Amino acid sequence: MESRVARLCIEKGLKMTEPRRVIARVLSESDDHPDVEALHGRVRDLDPTISIATVYRTMKLFEETNIVTKRDFGDGRARYEEILGDEDHHHHLIDVTTGQVMEFHNEALEALKIRIAQDLGFKLVDHHLELFGVPLNRDAKRDGDGGDSGGK
């Protein structure tokens, strides 16, 4: 059975070599936003003959054909994310202290972005949003309750 990314490649008319299939499978199974080095490590677990150069070329091709999008989470590494379309539109909040990336969706924010574009005389056709922050209450977050540890 083909992975989601492999199916997208086929729909877009890409020739599916075995290395591309493996890379597509690894991307489809990723629940994070891997960079090329992380992808290469995972790919090599499945097929040690696939070079990092092949992963770089494949990711460039996948990006050029709108199968993946490249993200910059402020750590100097290009991260990749599968493009799933409007049904999975989301944004990212990056904890700058740990590098953790949290995905979120907010309807009020979506409406505001459309309104801003309209106010400036534009129809919004695409956008990406990455927010960078630090936890408000680091001690509570470490304790796992996420709430106010002061009890007030």
Side-chain angles (χ1 to χ4, degrees):
M1 179 183 219
E2 295 284 1
S3 67
R4 288 183 318 269
V5 173
R7 285 193 305 269
L8 277 172
C9 291
I10 292 165
E11 287 171 17
K12 293 181 180 270
L14 293 181
K15 178 182 174 189
M16 288 308 291
T17 63
E18 191 54 32
R20 285 183 189 167
R21 283 185 200 287
V22 172
I23 294 165
R25 176 179 159 198
V26 168
L27 277 170
S28 291
E29 293 173 355
S30 294
D31 59 359
D32 59 350
H33 304 83
D35 64 5
V36 169
E37 289 79 13
L39 278 172
H40 182 243
R42 296 171 195 176
V43 164
R44 284 188 55 89
D45 288 343
L46 299 174
D47 184 344
T49 67
I50 298 174
S51 71
I52 195 163
T54 298
V55 177
Y56 271 107
R57 282 192 306 271
T58 302
M59 295 313 297
K60 185 174 191 306
L61 177 65
F62 286 1
E63 184 182 6
E64 290 170 350
T65 53
N66 293 317
I67 292 166
V68 300
T69 186
K70 189 188 308 185
R71 298 283 192 217
D72 178 2
F73 293 150
D75 59 3
R77 300 179 304 166
R79 310 283 197 107
Y80 293 93
E81 179 173 53
E82 177 182 353
I83 296 175
L84 296 173
D86 292 336
E87 71 275 0
D88 187 44
H89 176 75
H90 62 269
H91 301 292
H92 303 97
L93 174 63
I94 297 96
D95 179 338
V96 297
T97 59
T98 65
Q100 179 184 6
V101 178
M102 294 161 268
E103 295 181 347
F104 71 93
H105 180 82
N106 182 289
E107 287 298 326
L109 179 59
E110 297 305 312
L112 178 61
K113 291 183 296 187
I114 292 168
R115 193 177 84 229
I116 289 169
Q118 289 173 341
D119 289 350
L120 295 171
F122 287 85
K123 176 184 175 191
L124 193 61
V125 295
D126 192 18
H127 63 281
H128 303 281
L129 179 65
E130 278 81 40
L131 302 173
F132 298 85
V134 295
L136 290 174
N137 187 337
R138 292 183 195 178
D139 293 332
K141 185 170 181 161
R142 269 186 248 132
D143 292 342
D145 67 2
D148 178 40
S149 60
K152 291 186 180 181

